[in-house]
Amino acid sequence: MKFLSKSILVCLALTVISCKKNPAESPEHKALVAEHEVMMKTHDEIEKKHATMNDDHSAMLTSHKDLENDSLHIVNEKAHAAILGSHTSLVEKHKKLISEHKALEEKHLTGEISLEQMVKDHEELKKQHQQMLDEHNKMVKDHEKVKVEDAKMVSEDKTKEEEKTEEKK
């Protein structure tokens, strides 16, 4: 009788232990998946902005070919190139963050890590993501400043050229 009672108790304990909830059904896991989708969309936007910045840089260099090698233009080109280089690094860091986020999702889904660990790690990844977005926004603002300054310099150069042409007549 004791053996039967113990056997039933062990079977009951095993049944309770083996009937865990599906990790993918937890609200926290669903939030992780939703955040991953947001990160992917954000990354697409960052890459589009990066392509635009590259195009702007190429246009800047092309527009400067006809101008004298003015030190102000060169300084502006270097500032723009530095922003572009930093942005390239940011895009790569963001790709890595997305990979880490996906790996976290998989680890939780397979039960490799607990819900508590997933939530803790996810909060850290969210902080890193926000820092990257802040960096990106600062770079975009700096990029716009450089573009405005360059357009102003090009306009001034054209005005000077027109004045020289008028004086010769």
Side-chain angles (χ1 to χ4, degrees), residues 18-139:
S18 65
C19 291
K20 292 184 198 175
K21 281 178 59 178
N22 181 354
E25 296 301 318
S26 70
E28 295 86 354
H29 189 86
K30 289 178 180 179
L32 176 76
V33 172
E35 181 71 25
H36 190 75
E37 290 301 316
V38 169
M39 288 176 84
M40 294 299 291
K41 288 177 184 173
T42 301
H43 189 75
D44 289 343
E45 292 169 14
I46 289 172
E47 284 191 328
K48 285 177 187 171
K49 189 64 180 175
H50 189 70
T52 300
M53 290 169 85
N54 270 325
D55 293 344
D56 290 345
H57 190 70
S58 296
M60 179 188 290
L61 294 176
T62 301
S63 73
H64 291 182
K65 283 183 181 178
D66 298 334
L67 302 173
E68 295 178 25
N69 273 339
D70 183 352
S71 61
L72 292 176
H73 287 291
I74 293 171
V75 168
N76 214 28
E77 286 175 14
K78 286 182 180 180
H80 197 256
I83 293 167
L84 204 50
S86 295
H87 201 262
T88 299
S89 296
L90 181 70
V91 169
E92 292 305 313
K93 281 182 6 184
H94 198 258
K95 282 181 186 176
K96 183 179 177 217
L97 182 71
I98 289 172
S99 295
E100 291 172 9
H101 199 267
K102 188 66 177 171
L104 179 64
E105 181 184 338
E106 292 297 321
K107 284 179 183 178
H108 182 250
L109 192 59
T110 61
E112 188 176 329
I113 61 171
S114 67
L115 176 65
E116 293 78 19
Q117 186 64 46
M118 187 272 299
V119 169
K120 179 183 171 191
D121 292 351
H122 187 228
E123 286 304 314
E124 182 58 35
L125 291 177
K126 282 171 44 176
K127 276 191 233 174
Q128 290 176 21
H129 187 243
Q130 187 57 52
Q131 288 171 342
M132 287 181 194
L133 288 177
D134 293 345
E135 279 182 64
H136 168 72
N137 291 333
K138 182 183 180 315
M139 287 179 203

